Amino acid sequence: MTKYRVVSIILMGILIAAVIVLCALAQVAQSRKAAQQQEVPSTLPQVDYVLGEYDGYLALFRGEQEQPYQILDMPVQLLSDYDRGQIAEGIHVQTEQELRQLVEDFAS
């Protein structure tokens, strides 16, 4: 065998190995992307807002915070027993629009 032929065979082997490694890396990247896409639905939904009571008044909370970000001028005493029970547990909603609708329902 000539020196040229040995070098050609070695270079061909390196090239084939490089192609195999690149294909394996592409497959790993594709698997990770698919796994991330499957994880997204499991993290949702998260509660963003809570309608509850603070010092005897309806109050709006973000998530599980203990201090409200807004206290409404509506005493909980004026609500029905059923509504007071719901407020005592805290009514969880996902969006600010749902929260506004809920407050409107209690105000009417």
Side-chain angles (χ1 to χ4, degrees):
M1 241 188 219
T2 66
K3 189 176 185 179
Y4 174 76
R5 193 168 189 163
V6 170
V7 170
S8 295
I9 292 172
I10 291 173
L11 288 177
M12 187 63 75
I14 292 172
L15 180 62
I16 291 171
V19 169
I20 291 171
V21 168
L22 288 176
C23 289
L25 289 175
Q27 188 174 8
V28 167
Q30 187 177 14
S31 296
R32 285 184 180 172
K33 185 177 180 181
Q36 286 175 346
Q37 288 175 345
Q38 290 175 353
E39 289 177 12
V40 170
S42 67
T43 61
L44 297 176
Q46 289 184 329
V47 175
D48 293 323
Y49 301 97
V50 179
L51 178 63
E53 178 183 356
Y54 189 81
D55 287 340
Y57 289 89
L58 283 179
L60 309 178
F61 299 84
R62 285 195 178 102
E64 299 298 322
Q65 292 182 348
E66 293 185 22
Q67 295 292 319
Y69 73 91
Q70 184 177 358
I71 300 172
L72 305 176
D73 190 27
M74 175 178 257
V76 175
Q77 263 182 326
L78 299 178
L79 300 174
S80 69
D81 289 340
Y82 176 77
D83 289 341
R84 278 196 305 264
Q86 284 189 309
I87 294 298
E89 292 179 21
I91 302 173
H92 299 265
V93 294
Q94 299 296 313
T95 65
E96 200 168 324
Q97 181 179 356
E98 289 176 299
L99 183 64
R100 275 188 253 124
Q101 182 63 47
L102 187 61
V103 169
E104 286 178 18
D105 291 347
F106 275 99
S108 59

